[in-house]
Each structure stands twice: as structure tokens, then as C-alpha cells.
Amino acid sequence: MSGTQDPGAMTQADDTLWSAIGDPTRRRMLDLLLAEGGGTATSLGRQLPVTRQAVAKHLGVLGRAGLVRSATSGREKRYQVDDEQLARAVAQLASVGSAWDARLQRIKRIAETIQRTQQEHLRQDEQHD
């Protein structure tokens, strides 16, 4: 990812990815899956303040975004974080962060220029009084 990429130029896949990550419950699920090396909807449901059905729906969103993949293990599906997609999300976040840092620096320079100009005008006005 280039640091100069326009953050507004995201694809539908990017929108799906960020929508999935945008939910705090799903972020917590990713944290749990990473910490434990995987899990099932049941094991995640025991650790989250949502129903097992809600966990399953959240896992579906994460799966469609490519952030988790599942494999059947006996009667349950076992979920794991897709490291490659997570790395892509981290790289995108870093790129967006860099773009915003650059924007904020430009805004800061503009604000400082305006402030200096206003101060110069005030000094000139005081000298004329």
C-alpha cells in the first residue's frame, strides 16, 4: 500500500472489511481468536455478552470480509483469523493513518499562517493608533 493512496478510493471489499472491523463485538472476537489460536461460536459466546446466535452472525460478517475462516471439527465449526487478510487490514489502516497525518500537518500549517497574518495585522493596527 502506498502512503499516498486516497483513503476515499476504497473498493467494495475494503468497505466490507472496515464495516466488519468497525463493530466492537467483532473486534473483541478477533482478539479472542488471535489470543486463543481459534475457537468455536460456543467458546466465543461464553466470553462475550451476546447470544450464541449473535456470535454466529458476527462470525458470518467476519467470514464474508475474509477476516476469519472456518473448518468443521466434529459437530462444530472452528474459526481462525486469516492472517493475510488481517495483515492487509493493518496495512490499510497504516496507510489511512499516514494520509490523515499529512492532512493534519497541512491544516496546522494553514492555521499557523492565518494566525501569523492576523498577529501582523494587529501589530500594524496598533502602530497606526
Side-chain angles (χ1 to χ4, degrees):
M1 292 270 135
S2 164
T4 60
Q5 180 180 355
D6 177 9
M10 290 187 178
T11 66
Q12 178 143 0
D14 295 331
D15 291 343
T16 301
L17 175 69
W18 291 112
S19 177
I21 292 175
D23 182 88
T25 300
R26 290 192 283 268
R27 285 194 307 273
R28 178 73 179 128
M29 291 173 77
L30 288 170
D31 289 342
L32 290 168
L33 290 170
L34 286 167
E36 298 173 9
T40 64
T42 301
S43 68
L44 289 168
R46 281 190 225 116
Q47 300 177 70
L48 295 166
V50 295
T51 66
R52 186 192 175 288
Q53 290 79 11
V55 169
K57 286 183 181 182
H58 284 299
L59 286 167
V61 172
L62 291 170
R64 285 188 296 281
L67 288 164
V68 297
R69 58 184 183 281
S70 65
T72 302
S73 174
R75 294 183 313 146
E76 289 194 295
K77 280 188 177 182
R78 187 150 185 83
Y79 294 86
Q80 285 190 300
V81 173
D82 184 306
D83 294 333
E84 187 176 309
Q85 184 71 333
L86 184 60
R88 180 174 173 258
V90 169
Q92 279 188 348
L93 184 57
S95 176
V96 169
S98 293
W100 275 105
D101 286 345
R103 283 185 176 124
L104 291 172
Q105 283 301 317
R106 286 192 300 271
I107 291 169
K108 180 181 177 191
R109 285 192 301 271
I110 291 167
E112 288 169 346
T113 300
I114 291 169
Q115 185 177 21
R116 277 193 306 273
T117 302
Q118 287 175 340
Q119 288 172 346
E120 288 173 13
H121 287 305
L122 283 174
R123 274 188 241 125
Q124 288 173 359
D125 288 346
E126 287 172 358
Q127 289 173 354
H128 290 125
D129 286 339

